[in-house]
Amino acid sequence: MADVEGAVVRRAQQGDPAALRELIAGQQTYVYSICRGVMRNDADAADMTQEAFMRVLRSLGSYRGETKFTTWLYRVVTNICLDELRRRGVPTVTLEATAEDLPGLDPADPDPWTQPERWAAAAEDAAELQRALGGLTTPQRLALTLFYFDDLRYEDIAQVMGVPLNTVKSHIRRAKERLAELLDIRRKDYVRCSAAT
Amino acid sequence: MLCRDVRAALLVPETPAPTPDLQEHLAVCRACAGLASALATLDAQLRSALVVAPQSQFLVMPVDAVLRSALVVEPPAEVRARLTALADIAAADAARARVDTALRSALLVEPPPAVQARLLAAAGAEAGSWFARVWDSLRSRPGVFAGQLAALAVLGYAVMQLVAWIGSLPVVLGDVPYALELLAFSPALDYLSSIQALLQQLGPWLIVGAAGWVLSQFWARPREPAG
């Protein structure tokens, strides 16, 4: 991923169809990934992706260039998804650090840090990984998703989520720790079940 | 570096590539090296799991349709009503314009060529042209015309006053030197003093007339273009 060129954005703001297509084609993966991370199911993610692009196209004129275009775009998409969740009555979703974001794993704990290869093997199972990702909170999953967008720095992620920089790092660290826990637990359950049979 | 710090750096890397200190620690610490390897695997798996292109069946609307539905928007009902009213007003204006055009073409008619020729002949060449020039000049500058009339009126009044005064004087006939002597010693000289008063009375009127003429020259309305 690379930030959208300023010339493309300006042409898109003027309504140039080619620029608008280029914008959508270049960013749809990242927008869909954000929507999937917040809405947590593919059908809602698809709906919100279309809704988000429609609203972005209508509000393109409000982008003034104070931040990177992608930062502005992802912030708009995130807010649209969060507003949809609130509209549906989902319990208040906040991207701020919560008790769940406090360090859970003691770095001195022997499991799983001393035997990471156990849960790393589980991570290679896509289905296992998806199930483990379901165990993350919305802020953790969103921060982790944005973390894997190339060219997005921690500061940009903080702007997208509207939280402090340290909160972003806390989300990412806690997300990986939680995944390690879940994958290790699942691996242990799998081993236990296999042994029982 | 301590293992605790290495794990924190591996979980939340500050740089895309490991720092020299980190690499040095990983080279000597098997546990941290194993963790780094596991986290690299996890990162790769998470990247492909979290950064996902939308499946084609979900993006049902092609890009053009998305753009069209975003950009081609029905205006609100209130705006539609106002636009409809504007259209009605515009239609009424157009109808009125058509009626005006029809009436104008029906009422303002050029005389037939034969009538135009007769009119020109009746006007005459020189006089007609002179009269036409004067009439055009006066018609195009009515202010000048009025000023000139006023000046003529004042002049006429002044001449009348002068003539009346002269007429009131007794006529002296005979020897001219003697007449001059009589004039020099005559009580008619007393009447000369009234000339001054008369001139004083006429003077402002002459000044008014002159000023009016000067103003008319400078404030002349531009001639309307011929044809």
Side-chain angles (χ1 to χ4, degrees):
Chain A
M1 182 204 83
D3 196 16
V4 182
E5 286 181 14
V8 174
V9 175
R10 278 191 293 278
R11 281 174 24 228
Q13 286 176 318
Q14 289 161 7
D16 180 8
L20 289 167
R21 282 191 210 102
E22 185 180 338
L23 193 68
I24 293 175
Q27 294 298 316
Q28 62 180 353
T29 296
Y30 304 101
V31 170
Y32 179 68
S33 301
I34 291 173
C35 295
R36 201 155 161 266
V38 178
M39 306 305 292
R40 293 179 171 266
N41 77 76
D42 291 347
D44 285 342
D47 292 339
M48 292 314 299
T49 299
Q50 290 185 353
E51 177 68 22
F53 268 120
M54 284 186 193
R55 290 210 220 167
V56 163
L57 290 178
R58 286 199 195 108
S59 63
L60 207 50
S62 66
Y63 172 68
R64 296 280 180 260
E66 299 94 350
T67 60
K68 283 196 307 185
F69 177 76
T70 46
T71 305
W72 175 83
L73 172 64
Y74 303 153
R75 178 76 193 257
V76 169
V77 173
T78 302
N79 289 338
I80 288 171
C81 293
L82 292 175
D83 289 343
E84 177 64 17
L85 288 179
R86 291 189 194 104
R87 193 190 65 80
R88 294 182 184 184
V90 173
T92 306
V93 176
T94 174
L95 300 181
E96 293 288 342
T98 62
E100 283 205 18
D101 297 305
L102 294 174
L105 282 178
D106 183 355
D109 193 324
D111 273 356
W113 299 123
T114 52
Q115 293 179 302
E117 61 279 3
R118 300 195 314 195
W119 52 263
E124 289 179 348
D125 184 338
E128 280 293 329
L129 189 57
Q130 286 295 338
R131 277 193 284 271
L133 286 170
L136 299 180
T137 64
T138 298
Q140 289 170 354
R141 178 161 176 161
L142 179 59
L144 204 58
T145 302
L146 293 170
F147 173 73
Y148 290 111
F149 287 9
D150 299 330
D151 300 335
L152 213 60
R153 304 167 305 169
Y154 291 122
E155 290 82 3
D156 297 328
I157 298 174
Q159 281 191 339
V160 171
M161 295 180 66
V163 298
L165 180 62
N166 288 338
T167 303
V168 169
K169 295 181 178 179
S170 171
H171 285 323
I172 293 171
R173 185 187 65 246
R174 189 68 188 102
K176 290 186 180 179
E177 290 172 349
R178 183 70 184 140
L179 283 172
E181 285 176 41
L182 291 171
L183 289 168
D184 194 53
I185 289 168
R186 293 194 191 287
R187 194 207 64 82
K188 285 178 184 172
D189 288 343
Y190 173 75
V191 169
R192 195 177 305 120
C193 289
S194 297
T197 57
Chain B
M1 287 180 78
L2 299 176
C3 288
R4 176 195 292 264
D5 298 329
V6 169
R7 286 166 198 157
L10 290 172
L11 284 172
V12 187
E14 294 287 347
T15 57
T19 61
D21 288 344
L22 184 62
Q23 285 177 337
E24 190 181 326
H25 182 93
L26 293 176
V28 298
C29 179
R30 282 183 57 192
C32 291
L35 179 61
S37 173
L39 285 174
T41 303
L42 180 64
D43 278 343
Q45 294 299 319
L46 284 172
R47 192 185 302 274
S48 61
L50 293 173
V51 183
V52 182
Q55 295 176 32
S56 58
Q57 65 264 28
F58 288 123
L59 272 185
V60 174
M61 298 165 74
V63 171
D64 283 341
V66 171
L67 290 173
R68 190 175 302 117
S69 61
L71 299 172
V72 181
V73 182
E74 272 277 306
E78 183 196 338
V79 175
R80 284 203 300 272
R82 276 193 264 141
L83 292 174
T84 304
L86 278 178
D88 291 341
I89 292 169
D93 284 344
R96 271 197 293 276
R98 283 198 298 275
V99 168
D100 284 345
T101 303
L103 283 174
R104 193 188 306 279
S105 59
L107 297 173
L108 296 182
V109 185
E110 280 268 319
V115 174
Q116 290 183 28
R118 278 209 300 274
L119 289 172
L120 283 174
E126 284 296 322
S129 63
W130 174 82
F131 177 76
R133 279 200 305 275
V134 170
W135 176 243
D136 284 343
S137 169
L138 294 176
R139 195 181 55 168
S140 66
R141 297 193 295 176
V144 171
F145 181 50
Q148 288 172 342
L149 270 181
L152 274 176
V154 168
L155 186 61
Y157 175 75
V159 166
M160 279 169 50
Q161 290 287 318
L162 191 61
V163 167
W165 175 73
I166 291 172
S168 65
L169 293 176
V171 178
V172 178
L173 297 175
D175 190 1
V176 173
Y178 178 65
L180 288 175
E181 185 182 335
L182 283 178
L183 184 62
F185 294 104
S186 74
L189 283 177
D190 294 338
Y191 291 97
L192 289 177
S193 63
S194 65
I195 288 179
Q196 186 179 0
L198 194 62
L199 287 174
Q200 283 176 350
Q201 287 176 17
L202 288 176
W205 287 108
L206 288 173
I207 290 171
V208 166
W213 179 80
V214 169
L215 285 173
S216 69
Q217 294 300 311
F218 283 107
W219 281 1
R221 197 176 66 185
R223 289 177 183 278
E224 290 173 5

